[in-house]
Amino acid sequence: MAGIFKNLNSFFTYKANQREEFELLEGADEKASQENNSATHVESAIEERLSKDIGVNLAKIKQQLNVPKNQDILIREFKLEEKIGAFIVFIEEMADGTTINDFILRPLLMPEHTAEYLKRHKKGELIDYIWNNVLAINQAKKEKEFRNIIKKVLDGGTALFIDGYEECLLIESQGYEKRGIEAPKTENVIRGPHEGFNENLRTNISLIRKIVRNEDLIVEFLPIGKKSQISCAVLYMEKVTNPNIVKEVKRRIQNIDIDLVMGAGVLEEMIADQPYRMLPQILTTERPDRAAILLIVGKVIFMVEGTPFASAVPINFWECLRSPEDYFLKWHAATFLRILRLFALLITLLLPGLYLALTLFHQEMIPTDLLAAIAFSRENIPFPAVLELVMMELAFEFIREDGLRVPGILGQTLGIIGALILGQAAVSAQIVSPILIIVVAVGGIASFAIPSYELSFSIRLLRFGFIFLAAIAGFYGISAGIILLGVMSVSIKSFGVPIFSPIAPKTRANQDVIASLPVFMQKGRPDALNPLDRKKGGNPIRRWMQYKGGNKP
Amino acid sequence: MIKEGKIGQSEAIHLVTIAITTKVFFTSPAALMKIVGTSGWYVTLISAAMAMLGFTFIYLLLKEFPDRDLIEAYEKSVGRLMGFIFSLSLGGFILFTTSIRVREFAEVLKVYTLPLSPPSFITGIFVITIAALCFLGFEPIARFARLVGYVLIFAFLVVILSGIKNYEIHRIAPLFGYGLGKTILHGMVRSSGYGEVIILAVMAKSLQGTQHIKKAGFLSIGLSGILISLSILAYTLTFHYSVAQEFTSPMYELAGLIRYGRFFQRFDPIFIFLWSISTFISALVFFYTSISIYCKIFRIQDIRPIILPFAVLLFALTMIGKDSEDIVIGHVHIIRNYGWLFLFVPPVIALIAAKIRKKGLIESA
């Protein structure tokens, strides 16, 4: 009850908008670049440090990791040269057993490896000596703070503690099970590569690095989720991407105060500019090649451990109509496909509503032959057109949802059989008209042509809104819906970039919006991103055109 | 502080052009034909020229006060009280024009497509929609106009060009309509038909400088003049002038006559979307401008709390007209014939006052 009064009160009383919007302005890049490099990852609190007494460290580690209650956390105590106490801590199945046994424990337990050093230097810099001469491991670092040690161990690393030292050695030993690299499931192409991301963050980064072999590709790791501490990698091109965008992405990710961020989907919702709007403000891809293209044009990519997708910001609406296939086709084919997808989007959104408006309000606008066909088919239908349409749309959604839930080939079969039998039976039983089945089916098929899953879903939901508006006011209602949706959509920004740029607002000409010009004419990066380097190709790109007879002039 | 956002020149041109040309879909062309006969197609060009002249004074006034909008320019030039009166009368006129446009739209819609729906239902949906969109600010409205601008112009030209086989060149005669004097006089008086250009001056801070306003203003009046003239010419060529005077929406009738083969018989569906969307944009920007003027006059920092009361006011104003005839013959006629008094006269007075004050300051220095 109190909540209702609070809402009513806020409706009638004025409250100033406190939220400060992020705007991507030109000229602020340099300042942001300096700030970005120096102070973005400041740790405010000084964490608890290691003790020289190994017993204290062991007790602290056991306390922090809840040992022995936590039964998959293994602590192996041993003595170096039979006198210096040491232990390693790691998590079973998160760390690789072979690495620990053969390349960490075996060398450490062989006295000849450390005996010579201890004879000459007593203890001195034993940790450095072990790292330089004993361990056959490619990556490790010294660490003094418990918080970072715990984080690394939880990530599959191994921590080596030695008595008398206020620091430990964090050794890379990740070895958890992961899926191999497979073909992308949602972004299939005919001519492009067939590699997709998997759930392993490091593998995904390596797939991108394999394409973008450039020292300017920066990868920064940020932990997200207070309890889960999942790694999130932020990738960008140092001399290309606008530092304001990088700073803003990192600021938003670092300021999420929640226990668990279960993958990129949740993170996207947390950091989107306008999470209440339906249109996507972040672009996801499961293809390394597409992620690489997005990086090169000046976007920031972020990937979350456990999610086989990369997310790119800022984006525009037109990018949601692009398929990875476009990059491997000639420009005229790509342009045709994009126009086709735009048309499919409009059909998905408006066709059911238009049908309803025509049959309920504007019969005089239907050509006579078509009107007769619709009238005959609806003659014996007992339901009003709106109910008939909503019933069939819901049936179509049920079939689609079942097709996803029912495993494997059975799902596809269920979809086809369901649609065929249900449609045929409904027409035979004179519950729905055949024309309506066509309208619903065409709308449903068209929705699959939209490459972005998020956009497709939004359009499917919005379609019901248009059905409602068409039912109450025909074309006028649909027009009201178009203007509502249109103005609300153009007001959306993706990390400061208007989502309908470069058309609304008009920014400098971009050769790859709906119509795609030939690749050799696409010299510039999107103006709306305010990249540090505006050119992505030379002038001309095809320099060989200037040479005659194959010789340089 | 009122945060209205920034718009580019292209967005401004699209927005103002759509706002001006919308009236071609309603009763105005038929009313014009009733007054000047067959010369309507160039009467509107005379009105456009007059509006350009009026806009020149507005531009000169803004040039005197760079980085200020029209409301502030009024206050700076003629003082707080007179500026208040000028601004309030402009705001009131714009709100009244919005209400008449909404009602005119509802009446025409009722005649052609929704005969059983009461006007309150149609205007109710309209007012709710534009009030909701006002919360998003001025910038998205201009952006949407830019986004759909080309589509609307394309659809408009499709309707005009598709009717080409119904055109009869002899219907344009007599060329001077009911007489050259009457034609020119009405052309000059009806300059308020292009009065929407004043939006640029009220929203001057959203545009990037006076030069942008000048270019956007003249281009949008010019483009609108061509489009309106084309449409009036199209239906002058299609219908005999005595018949055309009787139509509620001549453009709608024009679209209904299109026939190519058995299937492509009528282009009304294209027309309805073109008509509704451009009316929504036009009324939306006018409604927003009236709220913005009110907030600027009374130094209200946030327009959001004002939207709801203004929406109620707008709905009440749309319901004042008794019927379609009352709206068309009474209210629309008043707006077209006397609108220039609110739109173009105060800027001239303000400009003269600004010049005198400036001269006085220079002399006293």
Side-chain angles (χ1 to χ4, degrees):
Chain A
M1 201 65 182
I4 295 169
F5 281 120
K6 204 177 167 186
N7 284 336
L8 274 173
N9 187 37
S10 66
F11 189 71
F12 287 108
T13 53
Y14 174 67
K15 198 178 172 189
N17 192 0
Q18 302 287 331
R19 196 181 156 210
E20 205 171 292
E21 265 187 33
F22 167 67
E23 283 183 297
L24 189 58
L25 301 171
E26 285 190 53
D29 310 348
E30 280 179 27
K31 196 182 157 201
S33 184
Q34 287 164 5
E35 286 175 16
N36 188 26
N37 290 336
S38 60
T40 49
H41 205 62
V42 177
E43 302 292 344
S44 54
I46 296 169
E47 290 298 316
E48 210 174 334
R49 299 199 161 200
L50 262 66
S51 160
K52 276 191 175 181
D53 183 350
I54 195 165
V56 174
N57 291 340
L58 181 62
K60 184 81 183 169
I61 284 287
K62 281 183 176 174
Q63 183 209 340
Q64 297 252 322
L65 290 171
N66 291 317
V67 178
K69 206 189 281 177
N70 233 337
Q71 291 178 3
D72 62 344
I73 291 173
L74 301 181
I75 296 174
R76 167 76 162 89
E77 292 178 66
F78 55 93
K79 286 199 183 294
L80 291 169
E81 190 63 7
E82 295 176 359
K83 50 190 170 194
I84 303 170
F87 71 90
I88 57 169
V89 56
F90 59 94
I91 302 177
E92 196 179 8
E93 294 302 320
M94 286 288 282
D96 179 34
T98 314
T99 307
I100 292 169
N101 290 338
D102 294 349
F103 306 110
I104 301 174
L105 278 179
R106 193 190 298 272
L108 286 172
L109 294 175
M110 283 183 171
E112 64 269 26
H113 284 149
T114 48
E116 188 62 24
Y117 177 85
L118 289 173
K119 244 186 241 171
R120 280 193 283 119
H121 300 87
K122 299 290 178 192
K123 267 166 77 179
E125 296 300 321
L126 182 58
I127 282 193
D128 287 330
Y129 181 81
I130 286 173
W131 169 232
N132 292 328
N133 301 285
V134 179
L135 297 178
I137 295 286
N138 65 358
Q139 210 181 335
K141 67 170 185 178
K142 288 192 281 185
E143 183 58 60
K144 290 179 179 174
E145 288 177 8
F146 271 110
R147 196 183 73 151
N148 295 336
I149 295 165
I150 300 291
K151 208 186 288 176
K152 189 71 195 171
V153 170
L154 290 171
D155 194 33
T158 301
L160 168 64
F161 293 80
I162 298 171
D163 193 18
Y165 288 91
E166 280 181 317
E167 55 190 6
C168 83
L169 203 57
L170 284 180
I171 304 161
E172 289 292 332
S173 59
Q174 280 91 343
Y176 37 80
E177 293 301 319
K178 61 187 179 192
R179 188 162 62 96
I181 295 167
E182 293 167 12
K185 289 194 169 61
T186 56
E187 291 176 290
N188 291 325
V189 294
I190 296 166
R191 291 188 61 186
H194 293 272
E195 271 182 351
F197 290 128
N198 63 15
E199 288 75 11
N200 188 274
L201 186 59
R202 305 272 173 175
T203 310
N204 295 343
I205 293 167
S206 71
L207 289 173
I208 294 177
R209 279 215 183 268
K210 204 169 77 176
I211 301 168
V212 186
R213 298 174 191 201
N214 191 304
E215 67 277 13
D216 288 338
L217 172 56
I218 307 293
V219 181
E220 291 185 41
F221 291 98
L222 306 170
I224 48 168
K226 275 190 302 189
K227 295 268 190 267
S228 62
Q229 291 283 314
I230 288 173
S231 284
C232 171
V234 178
L235 289 82
Y236 57 94
M237 297 299 289
E238 177 79 351
K239 289 171 188 162
V240 174
T241 312
N242 188 309
N244 280 314
I245 303 173
V246 179
K247 194 178 144 199
E248 183 64 17
V249 172
K250 281 158 59 178
R251 188 183 72 83
R252 289 189 194 182
I253 292 175
Q254 282 171 332
N255 287 291
I256 294 169
D257 188 11
I258 193 168
D259 286 351
L260 172 69
V261 175
M262 196 60 243
V266 180
L267 184 62
E268 283 166 16
E269 207 174 313
M270 299 269 188
I271 64 169
D273 290 62
Q274 282 125 331
Y276 297 108
R277 306 284 170 86
M278 278 191 171
L279 289 190
Q281 294 152 51
I282 291 167
L283 187 73
T284 51
T285 178
E286 66 169 322
R287 298 183 60 88
D289 53 339
R290 194 172 190 202
I293 292 167
L294 294 167
L295 272 173
I296 291 289
V297 296
K299 292 183 195 296
V300 176
I301 298 271
F302 59 88
M303 291 190 282
V304 180
E305 180 79 57
T307 306
F309 289 96
S311 309
V313 289
I315 61 153
N316 63 47
F317 172 78
W318 316 107
E319 282 169 325
C320 297
L321 292 177
R322 280 181 212 162
S323 152
E325 186 79 46
D326 296 0
Y327 302 110
F328 305 104
L329 291 174
K330 285 196 174 174
W331 63 275
H332 25 60
T335 304
F336 169 73
L337 287 175
R338 282 179 200 174
I339 294 169
L340 195 75
R341 288 180 207 129
L342 186 61
F343 194 57
L345 184 144
L346 293 175
I347 285 187
T348 310
L349 187 67
L350 300 175
L351 187 67
L354 287 175
Y355 169 79
L356 202 58
L358 280 170
T359 51
L360 289 181
F361 292 93
H362 315 288
Q363 299 89 345
E364 76 284 358
M365 291 175 188
I366 308 171
T368 319
D369 297 344
L370 185 60
L371 182 64
I374 294 173
F376 283 132
S377 70
R378 294 213 69 248
E379 207 173 22
N380 296 319
I381 309 299
F383 300 113
V386 58
L387 190 62
E388 189 189 352
L389 182 65
V390 171
M391 262 175 13
M392 283 318 290
E393 287 288 358
L394 285 177
F396 190 86
E397 291 298 325
F398 290 149
I399 292 169
R400 191 187 328 228
E401 188 60 14
D402 290 350
L404 283 176
R405 299 285 159 260
V406 178
I409 199 80
L410 194 62
Q412 292 174 17
T413 318
L414 183 82
I416 297 163
I417 302 291
L420 279 175
I421 293 178
L422 198 70
Q424 186 61 41
V427 170
S428 305
Q430 295 188 337
I431 293 172
V432 291
S433 63
I435 288 188
L436 184 84
I437 299 273
I438 295 169
V439 167
V440 173
V442 170
I445 291 165
S447 72
F448 289 112
I450 303 167
S452 161
Y453 184 70
E454 293 88 349
L455 180 63
S456 174
F457 217 105
S458 307
I459 298 296
R460 274 164 55 196
L461 285 176
L462 287 166
R463 181 183 49 168
F464 287 101
F466 278 93
I467 291 173
F468 170 73
L469 289 169
I472 61 163
F475 284 170
Y476 170 54
I478 295 177
S479 302
I482 290 174
I483 192 134
L484 266 172
L485 179 64
V487 178
M488 285 174 103
S489 302
V490 293
S491 70
I492 297 175
K493 286 181 178 174
S494 168
F495 283 79
V497 173
I499 205 154
F500 276 85
S501 64
I503 293 179
K506 185 177 178 285
T507 54
R508 204 172 297 159
N510 191 313
Q511 301 87 355
D512 193 22
V513 186
I514 298 176
S516 167
L517 291 187
V519 183
F520 53 81
M521 290 172 82
Q522 297 177 18
K523 293 170 193 164
R525 293 194 164 85
D527 186 41
L529 295 177
N530 281 338
L532 297 180
D533 181 4
R534 290 184 182 272
K535 293 275 175 200
K536 64 174 179 179
N539 195 16
I541 290 178
R542 295 182 304 164
R543 282 202 188 151
W544 58 268
M545 292 283 280
Q546 291 178 327
Y547 311 146
K548 287 182 181 173
N551 299 317
K552 283 190 177 183
Chain B
M1 197 182 155
I2 304 173
K3 208 176 172 187
E4 284 170 337
K6 293 276 173 204
I7 64 166
Q9 201 169 278
S10 167
E11 287 155 311
I13 294 170
H14 278 81
L15 184 66
V16 176
T17 307
I18 292 171
I20 294 173
T21 44
T22 302
K23 58 182 76 70
V24 87
F25 303 129
F26 303 123
T27 53
S28 292
L32 186 65
M33 200 158 246
K34 202 171 261 180
I35 298 166
V36 295
T38 49
S39 61
W41 64 276
Y42 66 89
V43 161
T44 195
L45 292 177
I46 297 170
S47 304
M50 284 306 293
M52 279 189 188
L53 183 69
F55 182 70
T56 308
F57 292 115
I58 295 173
Y59 159 67
L60 290 172
L61 178 65
L62 291 177
K63 212 174 150 190
E64 289 290 317
F65 304 98
D67 303 324
R68 290 185 189 277
D69 54 47
L70 188 65
I71 309 306
E72 288 172 348
Y74 278 160
E75 283 190 10
K76 290 278 165 195
S77 55
V78 291
R80 189 83 205 265
L81 181 67
M82 279 306 286
F84 175 83
I85 294 167
F86 281 2
S87 305
L88 198 66
S89 62
L90 178 67
F93 174 76
I94 290 179
L95 186 65
F96 180 65
T97 311
T98 315
S99 74
I100 296 306
R101 184 157 303 174
V102 175
R103 183 61 192 270
E104 202 182 359
F105 173 75
E107 290 297 338
V108 177
L109 200 68
K110 198 168 156 49
V111 168
Y112 289 103
T113 61
L114 298 172
L116 301 176
S117 307
S120 58
F121 171 74
I122 300 170
T123 51
I125 291 180
F126 205 107
V127 172
I128 290 168
T129 306
I130 62 174
L133 293 176
C134 276
F135 282 94
L136 299 172
F138 181 62
E139 198 180 72
I141 302 169
R143 269 188 202 153
F144 182 70
R146 168 81 173 82
L147 188 70
V148 295
Y150 290 119
V151 181
L152 293 179
I153 289 175
F154 175 74
F156 181 81
L157 292 177
V158 164
V159 173
I160 298 280
L161 294 174
S162 303
I164 212 157
K165 66 178 188 179
N166 299 321
Y167 296 169
E168 295 286 350
I169 195 74
H170 66 83
R171 288 189 183 131
I172 207 174
L175 214 57
F176 292 145
Y178 294 153
L180 192 61
K182 204 172 183 183
T183 299
I184 293 172
L185 178 72
H186 279 281
M188 289 165 75
V189 168
R190 293 176 77 89
S191 59
S192 65
Y194 294 83
E196 285 82 351
V197 75
I198 208 155
I199 295 163
L200 297 177
V202 178
M203 299 292 171
K205 286 181 181 170
S206 294
L207 276 111
Q208 287 137 28
T210 352
Q211 282 305 314
H212 275 82
I213 296 173
K214 177 186 158 192
K215 203 173 169 188
F218 285 118
L219 276 173
S220 44
I221 294 175
L223 189 61
S224 314
I226 293 166
L227 292 173
I228 294 176
S229 177
L230 264 178
S231 72
I232 297 176
L233 184 65
Y235 82 80
T236 307
L237 293 171
T238 308
F239 305 106
H240 189 267
Y241 77 93
S242 59
V243 179
Q245 294 172 12
E246 303 302 321
F247 292 140
T248 312
S249 171
M251 277 291 282
Y252 189 90
E253 300 287 345
L254 187 76
L257 281 182
I258 295 165
R259 178 187 286 266
Y260 286 93
R262 283 181 70 189
F263 189 79
F264 294 102
Q265 289 183 359
R266 300 177 63 166
F267 278 22
D268 320 22
I270 297 178
F271 185 77
I272 288 193
F273 286 112
L274 170 70
W275 177 32
S276 309
I277 292 171
S278 50
T279 310
F280 268 116
I281 295 174
S282 168
L284 172 59
V285 70
F286 245 40
F287 182 56
Y288 187 91
T289 308
S290 65
I291 298 173
S292 176
I293 291 173
Y294 182 84
C295 290
K296 281 167 184 165
I297 298 171
F298 292 103
R299 310 278 198 278
I300 297 168
Q301 297 302 308
D302 193 345
I303 76 154
R304 288 175 303 152
I306 310 297
I307 295 171
L308 211 57
F310 258 68
V312 175
L313 192 61
L314 177 68
F315 184 74
L317 282 172
T318 57
M319 290 290 116
I320 285 176
K322 213 163 45 185
D323 50 29
S324 167
E325 199 182 335
D326 191 31
I327 297 293
V328 176
I329 297 172
H331 300 169
V332 179
H333 186 70
I334 292 168
I335 288 173
R336 292 286 174 275
N337 285 343
Y338 303 105
W340 59 275
L341 285 169
F342 298 93
L343 297 166
F344 300 125
V345 173
V348 177
I349 298 169
L351 180 65
I352 294 166
K355 289 281 180 194
I356 293 167
R357 277 196 175 190
K358 203 174 175 183
K359 202 177 164 188
L361 277 173
I362 292 166
E363 277 171 5
S364 62

